[in-house]
Amino acid sequence: MDKKAKGVNTICTHIGELEDKTFKGAISPLYMSTSYDYEDVDIKRYPRYFNTPNQEALCRKIAALEHTEAALIFGSGMAAVSTALLAFLNKGDHLVVPRQIYGGAYNLIVEEFSKYGIEYTFIDGTERTAFENAIQPNTRVLYLETPSNPLLTLTDLEAIGSLARSRGLTTLIDNTFASPVNQNPADYGIDVIIHSATKYMGGHSDICAGAVAGSHTHIDRIFQLAKNLGGSLSDYTVWLLERSLKTMGIRVRAQNENALKLANFLEQHPDIHKVYYPGLQSHPNHQIAKAQMHGFGGMLSFELSEAVDQHTFMRSLKWIKVSMSLAGVESTLLAPSKTSHALLSPEERLKTGIRDGLIRFSTGIEDFEDLKADLTQALVQSKTISKETVT
Ligand SMILES: *Cc1c(COP(=O)(O)O)cnc(C)c1O
C-alpha cells in the first residue's frame, strides 16, 4: 500500500484503527491488559515492550503520517528525545547540535552526556556550513529542530540530509513545532523524526506523550534501548492520543490559517516592532519554508514596541491565555525572557536574538476576528504612553 498517496485527514481518521470484532463499534477498542498469554504467539506482549494492541495500532498511524516504515510512542516528548539520542550515541561518539534547541533537550545534553562519555558541539546558526564545520572524525549524529523555538528559524532539511548521507551520519529531527501535517522530514532524507506528542498530536493540552518515526532498522535500534529505559506510555493515554490524532489535520490547518492572518495583522500594527513567522515574505527563511513545509504552522513570535507594557498586555487579554506550553486548540502566549530563557542574562538573551518585549504565540482554532479583537484591545490597554499624554 502506498501510504503517501493517502491524504493526511484520511490517515488521521483511519490508519492503524483496531477493528472491534466483538461488537462492531466504530472506534478502536481499548485493551488495558498488562499481561498476555505467551503460548502460540510470535511476540510476547507487554506495555514496556511497546507492543500492546493499542500501542502497535497508534504506531502504524504515526508512521503513516510521517511517511516512514515504523514508529514508537513514549511517555513524554523528552523520553522520545533522550532514548533516540542515546540509541545512536555510544561512549566516545560526537554529536553536532544547534544551540537553539528545545530547553529540555539542551539540558539533557549539558547535564547528562559527559556521564556517558558522549561529546558534543553546539553550533550557532543552522546552515549546512555550520553543521559541516563542526563535524569531527567521531561525529555520529546531526540533530536538528525546525522551526526553532521561539524565533521560528528554519533549517534546510535537504541540505542537512544530503550532508549527513555523504558523511555516513545519522540525522535526528525534533519535528514538534511543524507537526506531521506541515512537515515530513523523511521525504528529505532525515532518518529519525521525533515529536513531543504533548503538543500538536495531542492538541488539547491534556496529554503528555512522545513519538519517534523512521525506518524499521532505525526504530528497532531505538526500541532495543527503549525497552531497557522503560519510557512507554499507558494504553489509556495511547487510546486518547489516537482520538486526538483523528482531528490533527483539520486542527493544524485551521491553526496555520489563523497564524498567517495574525502574522499579517501584527506586522501592520504600529505597536508591534517585529513579527517572526515563516509564512511572511519578510521572514529570512521564507523560501526554505515554501520548499519544505506544507503549511507554515501555528507558532509565531512578535516583539512589542517600547510603548507597550508587556505584563499589562499579557494580562489584559480576554480569550488568549498566558501559558507555558503550546499547540492546544486554544490560543496561548508566553514571554520567553520570563520563562524558557529566564536563566540567561539580558546580554546572553540579546545574543540569541530574544528581546525582553518578545512574545511567543501559539495560535488556536478560535475565529480570527475574535483573536484580532482581543489583541487589539489588549494593545490599547497596555500603552504606557497614552495618546492623551503625548498631545
Ligand atoms: C515540549 C517539547 C519537547 C518535550 O516534550 P515533553 O512532552 O514536554 O517531554 C520537545 N521538543 C519541543 C520542540 C517541545 O516543544
Side-chain angles (χ1 to χ4, degrees), residues 76-78 102 145 174 176-177 196 198-199 208-209 326:
S76 71
M78 278 310 300
Y102 176 72
E145 184 179 319
D174 185 333
T176 301
F177 264 41
S196 169
T198 314
K199 312 297 164 52
C208 181
L326 60 114

Side-chain angles (χ1 to χ4, degrees), residues 176-195:
T176 301
F177 264 41
S179 91
V181 180
N182 289 327
Q183 184 167 274
N184 299 118
D187 295 348
Y188 299 91
I190 303 297
D191 297 313
V192 176
I193 297 103
I194 306 169
H195 283 280

Side-chain angles (χ1 to χ4, degrees), residues 125-268:
T126 59
E127 313 78 46
R128 184 186 160 115
T129 48
F131 278 92
E132 200 161 18
N133 293 340
I135 293 174
Q136 303 178 6
N138 59 340
T139 302
R140 295 289 172 268
V141 173
L142 307 182
Y143 186 92
L144 7 157
E145 184 179 319
T146 175
S148 75
N149 176 30
L151 295 177
L152 290 317
T153 308
L154 304 191
T155 307
D156 185 334
L157 296 176
E158 184 110 67
I160 307 304
S162 72
L163 168 67
R165 272 192 306 283
S166 73
R167 303 293 188 91
L169 307 175
T170 306
T171 39
L172 271 56
I173 185 170
D174 185 333
N175 203 32
T176 301
F177 264 41
S179 91
V181 180
N182 289 327
Q183 184 167 274
N184 299 118
D187 295 348
Y188 299 91
I190 303 297
D191 297 313
V192 176
I193 297 103
I194 306 169
H195 283 280
S196 169
T198 314
K199 312 297 164 52
Y200 286 104
M201 286 186 168
H204 295 73
S205 310
D206 57 7
I207 283 174
C208 181
V212 298
S215 68
H216 286 302
T217 316
H218 285 125
I219 294 303
D220 187 59
R221 184 155 169 177
I222 296 170
F223 164 72
Q224 296 304 332
L225 178 63
K227 71 179 193 321
N228 292 336
L229 292 181
S232 59
L233 184 65
S234 109
D235 275 298
Y236 181 64
T237 315
V238 167
W239 181 82
L240 279 178
L241 185 55
E242 188 206 338
R243 188 177 82 158
S244 297
L245 280 168
K246 291 189 188 220
T247 56
M248 181 175 65
I250 56 173
R251 278 190 277 111
V252 169
R253 283 172 180 169
Q255 287 164 316
N256 288 345
E257 206 179 297
N258 269 347
L260 183 59
K261 285 185 190 162
L262 280 176
N264 279 311
F265 159 67
L266 291 167
E267 199 173 43
Q268 304 299 320

